PDB file of all heavy atoms in Angstrom:
ATOM      1  N   CYS A 128      71.147  92.949  78.587  1.00  0.00           N
ATOM      2  CA  CYS A 128      70.152  91.856  78.554  1.00  0.00           C
ATOM      3  C   CYS A 128      70.822  90.732  79.218  1.00  0.00           C
ATOM      4  O   CYS A 128      72.051  90.243  78.963  1.00  0.00           O
ATOM      5  CB  CYS A 128      69.915  91.511  76.992  1.00  0.00           C
ATOM      6  SG  CYS A 128      69.053  89.903  76.888  1.00  0.00           S
ATOM      7  N   MET A 129      70.062  90.041  80.158  1.00  0.00           N
ATOM      8  CA  MET A 129      70.541  88.892  80.917  1.00  0.00           C
ATOM      9  C   MET A 129      70.860  87.672  80.032  1.00  0.00           C
ATOM     10  O   MET A 129      71.529  86.797  80.397  1.00  0.00           O
ATOM     11  CB  MET A 129      69.631  88.517  82.041  1.00  0.00           C
ATOM     12  CG  MET A 129      69.509  89.637  83.083  1.00  0.00           C
ATOM     13  SD  MET A 129      68.250  89.332  84.196  1.00  0.00           S
ATOM     14  CE  MET A 129      68.988  88.075  85.191  1.00  0.00           C
ATOM     15  N   LYS A 130      70.212  87.611  78.876  1.00  0.00           N
ATOM     16  CA  LYS A 130      70.382  86.415  77.995  1.00  0.00           C
ATOM     17  C   LYS A 130      71.518  86.592  77.003  1.00  0.00           C
ATOM     18  O   LYS A 130      72.313  85.677  76.895  1.00  0.00           O
ATOM     19  CB  LYS A 130      68.985  86.269  77.221  1.00  0.00           C
ATOM     20  CG  LYS A 130      68.484  84.898  77.213  1.00  0.00           C
ATOM     21  CD  LYS A 130      67.059  84.826  76.535  1.00  0.00           C
ATOM     22  CE  LYS A 130      66.464  83.578  76.324  1.00  0.00           C
ATOM     23  NZ  LYS A 130      65.165  83.874  75.679  1.00  0.00           N
ATOM     24  N   CYS A 131      71.417  87.727  76.271  1.00  0.00           N
ATOM     25  CA  CYS A 131      72.487  87.830  75.230  1.00  0.00           C
ATOM     26  C   CYS A 131      73.522  88.970  75.451  1.00  0.00           C
ATOM     27  O   CYS A 131      74.435  89.159  74.617  1.00  0.00           O
ATOM     28  CB  CYS A 131      71.839  88.060  73.904  1.00  0.00           C
ATOM     29  SG  CYS A 131      71.047  89.698  73.758  1.00  0.00           S
ATOM     30  N   ARG A 132      73.441  89.561  76.612  1.00  0.00           N
ATOM     31  CA  ARG A 132      74.456  90.591  77.152  1.00  0.00           C
ATOM     32  C   ARG A 132      74.368  91.838  76.212  1.00  0.00           C
ATOM     33  O   ARG A 132      75.311  92.687  76.399  1.00  0.00           O
ATOM     34  CB  ARG A 132      75.887  90.082  77.069  1.00  0.00           C
ATOM     35  CG  ARG A 132      76.051  88.749  78.002  1.00  0.00           C
ATOM     36  CD  ARG A 132      76.108  88.958  79.505  1.00  0.00           C
ATOM     37  NE  ARG A 132      77.070  89.814  79.974  1.00  0.00           N
ATOM     38  CZ  ARG A 132      77.347  90.066  81.259  1.00  0.00           C
ATOM     39  NH1 ARG A 132      76.633  89.380  82.138  1.00  0.00           N
ATOM     40  NH2 ARG A 132      78.208  90.997  81.694  1.00  0.00           N
ATOM     41  N   THR A 133      73.441  92.091  75.435  1.00  0.00           N
ATOM     42  CA  THR A 133      73.398  93.329  74.708  1.00  0.00           C
ATOM     43  C   THR A 133      73.236  94.516  75.646  1.00  0.00           C
ATOM     44  O   THR A 133      72.347  94.450  76.532  1.00  0.00           O
ATOM     45  CB  THR A 133      72.178  93.263  73.658  1.00  0.00           C
ATOM     46  OG1 THR A 133      72.320  92.294  72.830  1.00  0.00           O
ATOM     47  CG2 THR A 133      72.031  94.586  72.928  1.00  0.00           C
ATOM     48  N   TYR A 135      72.241  98.217  76.951  1.00  0.00           N
ATOM     49  CA  TYR A 135      71.174  99.162  76.644  1.00  0.00           C
ATOM     50  C   TYR A 135      71.399 100.415  77.509  1.00  0.00           C
ATOM     51  O   TYR A 135      71.766 100.371  78.645  1.00  0.00           O
ATOM     52  CB  TYR A 135      69.804  98.608  77.031  1.00  0.00           C
ATOM     53  CG  TYR A 135      69.325  97.588  75.973  1.00  0.00           C
ATOM     54  CD1 TYR A 135      69.571  96.232  76.162  1.00  0.00           C
ATOM     55  CD2 TYR A 135      68.530  97.999  74.890  1.00  0.00           C
ATOM     56  CE1 TYR A 135      69.177  95.321  75.215  1.00  0.00           C
ATOM     57  CE2 TYR A 135      68.117  97.085  74.034  1.00  0.00           C
ATOM     58  CZ  TYR A 135      68.375  95.811  74.086  1.00  0.00           C
ATOM     59  OH  TYR A 135      68.026  94.917  73.198  1.00  0.00           O
ATOM     60  N   CYS A 151      64.767  92.793  75.878  1.00  0.00           N
ATOM     61  CA  CYS A 151      65.755  92.839  74.787  1.00  0.00           C
ATOM     62  C   CYS A 151      65.004  92.878  73.432  1.00  0.00           C
ATOM     63  O   CYS A 151      64.172  92.015  73.224  1.00  0.00           O
ATOM     64  CB  CYS A 151      66.770  91.733  74.937  1.00  0.00           C
ATOM     65  SG  CYS A 151      67.966  91.716  73.687  1.00  0.00           S
ATOM     66  N   ARG A 153      66.511  92.091  70.654  1.00  0.00           N
ATOM     67  CA  ARG A 153      67.108  90.987  69.820  1.00  0.00           C
ATOM     68  C   ARG A 153      66.548  89.612  70.289  1.00  0.00           C
ATOM     69  O   ARG A 153      66.136  88.833  69.437  1.00  0.00           O
ATOM     70  CB  ARG A 153      68.521  90.846  70.052  1.00  0.00           C
ATOM     71  CG  ARG A 153      69.328  91.963  69.419  1.00  0.00           C
ATOM     72  CD  ARG A 153      70.737  91.745  69.385  1.00  0.00           C
ATOM     73  NE  ARG A 153      71.486  92.782  68.728  1.00  0.00           N
ATOM     74  CZ  ARG A 153      72.775  92.845  68.852  1.00  0.00           C
ATOM     75  NH1 ARG A 153      73.547  92.046  69.584  1.00  0.00           N
ATOM     76  NH2 ARG A 153      73.340  93.977  68.319  1.00  0.00           N
ATOM     77  N   CYS A 154      66.381  89.355  71.631  1.00  0.00           N
ATOM     78  CA  CYS A 154      66.021  87.967  72.063  1.00  0.00           C
ATOM     79  C   CYS A 154      65.026  87.904  72.993  1.00  0.00           C
ATOM     80  O   CYS A 154      64.573  86.847  73.615  1.00  0.00           O
ATOM     81  CB  CYS A 154      67.340  87.287  72.747  1.00  0.00           C
ATOM     82  SG  CYS A 154      67.632  88.003  74.290  1.00  0.00           S
ATOM     83  N   ASN A 155      64.344  89.022  73.340  1.00  0.00           N
ATOM     84  CA  ASN A 155      63.312  89.204  74.308  1.00  0.00           C
ATOM     85  C   ASN A 155      63.723  88.875  75.789  1.00  0.00           C
ATOM     86  O   ASN A 155      62.882  88.602  76.648  1.00  0.00           O
ATOM     87  CB  ASN A 155      62.051  88.380  73.868  1.00  0.00           C
ATOM     88  CG  ASN A 155      60.809  88.858  74.522  1.00  0.00           C
ATOM     89  OD1 ASN A 155      60.595  90.064  74.615  1.00  0.00           O
ATOM     90  ND2 ASN A 155      59.892  87.976  74.960  1.00  0.00           N
ATOM     91  N   GLY A 156      65.049  88.744  76.030  1.00  0.00           N
ATOM     92  CA  GLY A 156      65.529  88.435  77.438  1.00  0.00           C
ATOM     93  C   GLY A 156      65.261  89.671  78.325  1.00  0.00           C
ATOM     94  O   GLY A 156      65.069  90.789  77.807  1.00  0.00           O
TER      95      GLY A 156
HETATM   96 ZN1  LIG B 302      69.084  89.822  74.521  1.00  0.00          ZN
END
Side-chain angles (χ1 to χ4, degrees):
C128 168
M129 292 171 73
K130 224 170 170 182
C131 71
R132 307 281 305 187
T133 300
Y135 284 89
C151 178
R153 288 194 183 162
C154 75
N155 203 38

